[in-house]
Amino acid sequence: MQNILTSVALLALTAGMASAEGKLSIYNWFEYIPQEMLDKFAAEYDVEVTMDTFDSNEAMLAALKAGKMGQYDVAVPTDYMVAIMAGEGLLDTFSHDEIPNFANIDPKWIDVPFDPGRRHSIPYQWGTTSFSVNRDVYTGDIDTLAILFNPPPELSGKINVLDSQGEVLALASLYLGIPQCSQDREQLKALNAMLLDAKQHWASFGSDTAKDVLVSGDAAAGMIFNGFSAKARAEGANVEYAYPREGFVAWMDNAVLLKDAPNRANALNFMNFLLQPENAAALTNYAAYTSAVIGVEPFLDDAIKNSPENNPPASAPQGTFVGVCDQATQELYDAIWTNLKK
Amino acid sequence: MAGCPDIRRYPGFAAMAALCLTILYVPLAVVIAYSFNASTSLTNWGGVSLRWYADLFTGVEAPRFRAAAWNSITIATLAATASTIIAAAAAVAMVRGGRFRGKGATFALINLPLMVPEIVTAVATLIFFSTIGLMTGYLTILIAHITFCIPFAYLPIAARLEGIEETFEQAARDLYATRAQAFRLILLPLMTPGIISGFLLAFIISLDDFIITNFVKGAGMETLPTAIFGSVKQGIKPNILALSTVMLTVSILFVTLSYFVNRLGQRSRA
Amino acid sequence: MAGRAASGAAGTGYRGLTGPLLLPAWAMIGIFLLLPVLLMTVYSFLTREFRGGVDWTFSLAAYDRFLLSRGLFGDEPPVPEWTYITIFWRSIWQAGLATLICLIVGFPTAWFIATRPLHSRALWLFMITVPYWVNLLIRTVSLRFLLRDQGPLNDLLIGTGLLDSPLRIINTNLAVQLGLFYSYLPFMVLPIYAAVERYNFALSEAAADLYASRWTTLREIVLPVVRPGIIAGCILVFVPSLGAFLAPDLLGGAKTYMIGSLIEEQFKGSQGNWPFGAAVSVILMTLVLIVLMVYTRARGRAEVR
């Protein structure tokens, strides 16, 4: 037994010495990258790749602030979190010529509000958040956010809403046509009153269960991410994802370069690797959202390329990112959310 | 007493007990049944299949669950061992140490983890570790688990100890056994059933803990409950049910084994 | 009793050792629970740092927010804030009802087990504890599945003709209470079982000999004797129910905050207000300590009697 252990330890040691020109340490969402891609990168660049996962932006931020800076090279925060992390000084900057494939990014995703000019981040995947309706229950027009906030009688009491302050308040603001991070009293009062009134129509708040309640029929309509809704449809729910005319929330997860990255060069190689069309497509085929890289189409699975959830109708407006407010304004929105859930 | 069974029986109590077991087991039956579901959905039945068991060991999440299972089991083993030793020492002092100053306060302190709601313990521990800058994951989880497992190990051990007459040890001491010998040869064997149930209880509590672990785990550290929680965030898939069924089977085997070992031990002593 | 006191004087030799034997327990719980709880109390009096963390300057803002409302924009004259008191009241109410359901089902069950033949008792206890080897999250999710409008329970009720339309349980307070009840039932059964097992049935016989009915015996003789077990069970169910958030989230639809989810939001959610989360925790803990003090008083009185 002792011998086996020793030889295993020796083997591990020698293996460690043999491989790994360098290392790369990634902090990513759970189940957001296929293992084959990590293996491919490791083989191509001869680095040892390790990845830890998180399940919410806030959890990632808390972990990094609690002393994990300097351990990871790349993280994958959502849009608003990129802005927050940049504001807290957690991100390193790069110049565009450090990433040769930078030119592959769809130009409309370069000057984004959360990282103007892309100095810290590259697009990873993007998607939208609006809602889906079970077409067996309601066949009318679903082109409006009123389905969530002032629903027809068929849907009242059968609506699930994401348990996510940022996205609910952003959609509610779009419905009322007021800007995010507003400090206007009348607008905020109207937002507060509208939400309190809308709540009577809602059956539940749930993010993790957003897909399941649609599949099981517990909810006839539900706020949901587009990819999640596609999964619900694949599981047999007769749901249609809406691109409402008032607007909807767009979100984008981004690979960011962390400050004090121990392997900065490998991190940039990895970001470059992610922008290679076939790799970006592999990511999209796995996660079922949308890539922001030009030239992915030939590599995409048909089911994803043609899914109605991923292809907004031409008439649909642009998606809106969740805003990042200053502390005083954020506290007002926190109070509205607490009011809603008291 | 045997001639009058009536006083022990109340109409409806047996039915209540049956109801109680039904309530406890029906959801488990659902978990087990749906772990064999061929469909990806949790709610629609797609035929019988073992795919989720295969997925558990070979699927994309397999490495994550393997790492989490390893962390959970080592943490639970270490935490249960440490807390059982600490609790056993404390129980001997509390039950055999006679009266001493601060006994009431000590009793309250030992039971403090039971009295403080778990969410409060979680918050306090998070604040503490983040203030002293210790956020290593494994070590912080282990420390937190040892701490809150102490009363769970203490209660069965102390209960057992209270039932052991002091006369055995006194007889041994009268026969010039040293204190260590009296402990090793008399008290420890008599305490063993209490120590085993204390250890088991601490082990389960550690293995199942989510709230406190989730607050103190930091980055890159998962135990089974936090891994389950994390993957549920992406929508609940039947592989979680398969995992639960495996855990349930393992634990039933484990407890059954300890039950029979215990009985065997009792019989040999008798 | 006298004999025991005498033998105690002879001792088993652990007297001088109490300090060293207790030291590890004191140290672990003192350093890693008592000290953190005190630190948490300090945190509740500090200034909030935006998005998590604290600034080390004294502030009463957290308690002010809990107790006083100054309107949405914080510039109206302060009036009592009912938001958080409502959340507390709701949590207490839910936990209380769950405890009551646990007692109604748990007492007869514990009694039944304690009156089984000795060798089968262990098996019964084993059966009560087995479900708790499955993670609480999974158990709650499967309970949700059972209670759904189109779930097996409603299918059964409609299929047997007991009901015409599905019983709406999911996303109601009843579902939360059922979930809490299901989560903590063994914590009620085990202490009551321990108390009933030690109950001397000769007392019931004596009562029966005096022509007391079984129910009178239960009320007048049994309940007072096993009361410590019942109270312990109630506390073991009530305290964790009070801070629970899985059952309210998954079964109750998370439409309203409970104490547990309110605290969690301050640390793990987007609001990130550590001092406020600490203050809510301090208030919750104070509440629990008051309940426990009432219990120890009551128990002390019962023992004197």
Side-chain angles (χ1 to χ4, degrees), chain B residues 232-244:
Chain B
V232 162
K233 288 251 170 214
Q234 318 290 310
I236 303 155
K237 280 196 300 182
N239 63 348
I240 301 293
L241 303 184
L243 177 67
S244 303

Side-chain angles (χ1 to χ4, degrees), chain C residues 84-96:
Chain C
Y84 303 109
I85 292 170
T86 313
I87 292 171
F88 266 71
W89 175 242
R90 186 185 306 120
S91 300
I92 293 169
W93 177 243
Q94 300 274 45

